[in-house]
């Protein structure tokens, strides 16, 4: 956990944690992660998309690899475990498996995977999309789903993704070489804190993830007319901020009436932004998620119709630009199975790690039939799922606080998670 704290100190906002794509902080955490990967006997490289990778090859260097990892970038004013703890756990799992398989570098044997497949740790860049709006840039490059139109995406300072990549030392022309072929991967496993209250409420440590919510992100613009705040009677106003405010409340009303549909307005601005001017323009974001793409899209159509009604009634105009669209990801049954087996083996009464876990965890966690959760939070598996099977393990996150400095996870749950993930990999190898 000390390493989570060490990474948390690498931030562009002293006193808070903010580490966005292709920033100097991104370069520093990649270097640090690479150092820890090499300590664990991995061969490290940064790929042309800015992902930091660590490989433990199988005896057959052409064998496919099982990828394990998460992301090192953060949202603005983030917690210190989202993504980060999953990358560090992946390094520990690979270290543990070498020891178990007798192939640890310090045994004098060549550092190699004890299985027929290799093991590769991925520290993806830009899972959050905090800088350019489009999320999953790093994992999309590995999945071979990169879209060259993304190079023109701009950050709030007007820097394009291409300019930022060149400044970071990447060659945009080589991004396609980050892509893997499906036959090069056995699968992808990710451990992540649950970014919700379920496990905490159930008093359980670990869960299998069944699927990851589909996500669409929009930037919306409402156009009215800037007028004098004093001299303009209400019946002559076309107040863009009030139209956008009604729209944000409509998103909450419509989404909260659905199951597993979540809509959030996270960014909201009024222009010209003067105290004595009726806002002539408002801009706001919409993050819309659903367990199933079709349901999510139906709700987007419903929201769009409601915005037409609101803006029509207020004599306003609105338009939108979609900046991110990721379909729902359903975790592969086999990988759900091995993660379940990993939890069972870890928490089975009498197992060493169970003893360490303490009676509280044992009493509550359903060892025989581990809890399976839908993930309303997005993860890199949504991109990697384009080329290989995805499995995820959740660890309890007290109160479910995330994307906030109070984000937490217990050392005990992380220790159980490392063992469960290692058991899952061993189980996969035995399949
Ligand atoms: O936004 C999400 O759900 C994830 O944390 N990137
Ligand atoms: Mn996140
Ligand atoms: Mn995350
Ligand atoms: Mn099995």
């Amino acid at each position: 956990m000390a390493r989570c704290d060490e990474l948390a100190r690498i931030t562009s906002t002293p006193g808070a944690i903010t580490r966005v794509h292709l920033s100097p902080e991104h370069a520093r955490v990649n270097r640090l992660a690479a150092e820890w990967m090499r300590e664990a006997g991995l061969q490290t490289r940064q790929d042309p998309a800015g992902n930091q990778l660590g490989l433990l090859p199988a005896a057959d260097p052409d064998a496919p690899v099982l990828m394990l990892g998460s992301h090192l970038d953060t949202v603005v004013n983030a917690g210190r475990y989202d993504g980060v703890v999953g990358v560090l756990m992946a390094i520990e799992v690979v270290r543990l498996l070498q020891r178990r398989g007798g192939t640890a570098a310090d045994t004098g044997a060549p550092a190699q995977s004890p299985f027929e497949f290799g093991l590769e740790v991925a520290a993806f860049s830009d899972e959050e999309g905090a800088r350019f709006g489009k999320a999953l840039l790093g994992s999309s490059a590995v999945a071979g789903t990169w879209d060259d139109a993304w190079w023109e995406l701009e950050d709030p300072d007007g820097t394009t993704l291409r300019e930022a990549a060149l400044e970071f030392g990447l060659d945009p022309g080589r991004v396609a070489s980050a892509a893997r072929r499906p036959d090069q991967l056995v699968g992808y496993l990710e451990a992540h804190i649950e970014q919700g209250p379920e496990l905490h409420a159930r008093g359980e440590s670990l869960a299998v993830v069944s699927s990851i919510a589909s996500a669409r992100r929009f930037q919306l613009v409402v156009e009215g007319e800037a007028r004098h705040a004093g001299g303009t009677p209400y019946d002559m106003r076309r107040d863009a901020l009030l139209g956008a405010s009604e729209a944000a409340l409509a998103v909450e009303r419509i989404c909260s009436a659905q199951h597993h549909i979540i809509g959030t307005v996270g960014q909201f601005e009024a222009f010209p932004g003067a105290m004595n001017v009726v806002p002539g323009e408002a801009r706001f974001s919409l993050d819309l998620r659903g367990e199933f793409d079709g349901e999510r899209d139906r709700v987007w159509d419903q929201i769009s119709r409601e915005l037409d009604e609101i803006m029509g009634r207020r004599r306003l105009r609105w338009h939108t630009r979609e900046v991110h669209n990721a379909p729902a990801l359903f975790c592969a049954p086999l990988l759900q199975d091995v993660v379940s087996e990993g939890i069972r083996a870890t928490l089975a009464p009498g197992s060493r790690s169970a003893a360490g876990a303490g009676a509280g965890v044992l009493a509550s966690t359903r060892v025989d039939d581990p809890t399976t959760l839908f993930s309303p939070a997005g993860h890199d598996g949504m991109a990697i799922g384009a080329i290989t099977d995805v499995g995820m393990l959740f660890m309890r996150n007290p109160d479910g606080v995330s994307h906030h400095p109070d984000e937490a996870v217990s050392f005990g749950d992380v220790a159980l998670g490392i063992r469960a993930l290692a058991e899952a990999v061993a189980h996969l190898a035995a399949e």
Side-chain angles (χ1 to χ4, degrees):
M1 305 293 267
R3 288 186 166 179
C4 290
D5 298 338
E6 190 170 350
L7 290 175
R9 287 191 287 273
I10 301 176
T11 172
S12 61
T13 50
I17 302 171
T18 303
R19 211 169 36 241
V20 297
H21 189 43
L22 301 179
S23 60
E25 296 73 35
H26 173 187
R28 288 176 56 199
V29 289
N30 273 10
R31 283 195 296 272
L32 196 49
E35 199 181 299
W36 295 335
M37 289 176 180
R38 283 190 293 275
E39 268 176 21
L42 306 184
Q43 300 163 19
T44 58
R45 69 184 176 95
Q46 180 179 273
D47 78 4
N51 300 307
Q52 181 58 51
L53 304 170
L55 173 66
L56 191 73
D60 170 3
D62 296 328
V65 299
L66 173 68
M67 196 173 262
L68 303 108
S70 191
H71 60 94
L72 292 179
D73 67 297
T74 74
V75 293
V76 174
N77 195 28
R80 62 189 61 210
Y81 302 108
D82 173 3
V84 168
V85 76
V87 172
L88 298 175
M89 288 173 68
I91 295 172
E92 288 316 306
V93 163
V94 175
R95 189 198 312 269
L96 195 62
L97 290 169
Q98 288 177 79
R99 199 159 303 295
R100 244 166 76 154
T103 60
D106 58 8
T107 58
Q112 73 180 32
S113 165
F115 308 117
E116 288 185 4
F117 49 77
L119 298 171
E120 184 166 21
V121 175
F124 289 116
S125 69
D126 206 40
E127 185 272 346
E128 300 288 1
R131 181 174 179 185
F132 296 97
K134 168 79 186 81
L136 308 173
L137 287 179
S139 41
S140 296
V142 171
T145 55
W146 183 271
D147 180 341
D148 279 336
W150 297 342
W151 290 121
E152 307 321 318
L153 290 171
E154 289 188 2
D155 72 5
D157 300 332
T159 304
T160 65
L161 176 57
R162 178 190 307 283
E163 289 160 344
L166 290 167
E167 197 177 325
F168 191 80
L170 299 176
D171 171 0
R174 294 192 54 245
V175 72
S177 65
R180 302 299 176 80
R181 297 187 317 271
D183 64 287
Q184 291 176 302
L185 292 174
V186 168
Y188 173 66
L189 284 176
E190 176 168 353
H192 205 289
I193 56 169
E194 182 212 345
Q195 291 164 296
E198 272 305 308
L199 284 174
H200 177 68
R202 298 175 188 215
E204 295 186 24
S205 277
L206 307 174
V208 185
V209 175
S210 56
S211 69
I212 305 171
S214 64
R216 294 180 73 176
R217 293 183 188 176
F218 301 87
Q219 285 167 349
L220 296 98
V221 180
V222 176
E223 290 165 348
E225 188 180 36
R227 294 289 290 267
H228 193 288
T232 311
Y234 279 107
D235 61 4
M236 290 178 66
R237 292 181 179 214
R238 294 195 298 120
D239 186 326
L241 183 146
L242 292 182
S245 304
E246 242 195 279
L249 290 171
V251 165
E252 180 192 41
R253 173 170 38 81
I254 291 169
C255 294
S256 59
Q258 315 277 335
H259 177 64
H260 279 173
I261 295 278
I262 312 107
T264 307
V265 174
Q267 297 165 332
F268 198 103
E269 278 187 282
F271 301 90
M275 289 182 80
N276 57 353
V277 179
V278 173
E281 183 176 298
R283 294 172 177 262
F284 63 97
S285 65
L286 173 61
D287 173 315
L288 182 64
R289 306 166 186 229
E291 187 169 7
F292 303 100
D293 300 359
E295 280 180 10
R296 175 208 61 190
D297 294 345
R298 185 179 51 74
V299 171
W300 167 240
D301 292 344
Q302 186 181 346
I303 289 170
S304 300
R305 288 194 299 275
E306 183 100 6
L307 265 61
D308 283 339
E309 189 282 321
I310 292 166
M311 306 312 166
R313 175 164 35 85
R314 287 177 171 271
R315 296 180 296 117
L316 300 168
R317 286 197 314 277
W318 74 284
H319 57 87
T320 186
R321 186 165 70 91
E322 184 166 21
V323 293
H324 177 64
N325 184 326
L329 183 281
F330 294 88
C331 294
L334 171 61
L335 294 189
Q336 288 192 53
D337 167 54
V338 297
V339 172
S340 288
E341 296 287 347
I343 295 174
R344 281 191 197 97
T346 301
L347 291 176
S351 79
R352 201 154 43 89
S353 43
V361 168
L362 278 185
S364 58
T365 299
R366 290 177 12 212
V367 178
D368 57 327
D369 171 26
T371 290
T372 297
L373 292 179
F374 156 66
S375 173
H379 302 285
D380 283 302
M382 299 166 85
I384 297 296
I387 54 170
T388 194
D389 283 351
V390 171
M392 282 196 76
L393 170 74
F394 268 173
M395 286 151 314
R396 173 171 34 188
N397 163 278
D399 297 325
V401 172
S402 183
H403 284 186
H404 184 278
D406 292 348
E407 186 178 270
V409 67
S410 80
F411 179 80
D413 288 342
V414 171
L416 289 172
I418 290 169
R419 184 156 298 281
L421 202 53
E423 294 289 351
V425 176
H427 191 86
L428 181 66
E431 282 287 323

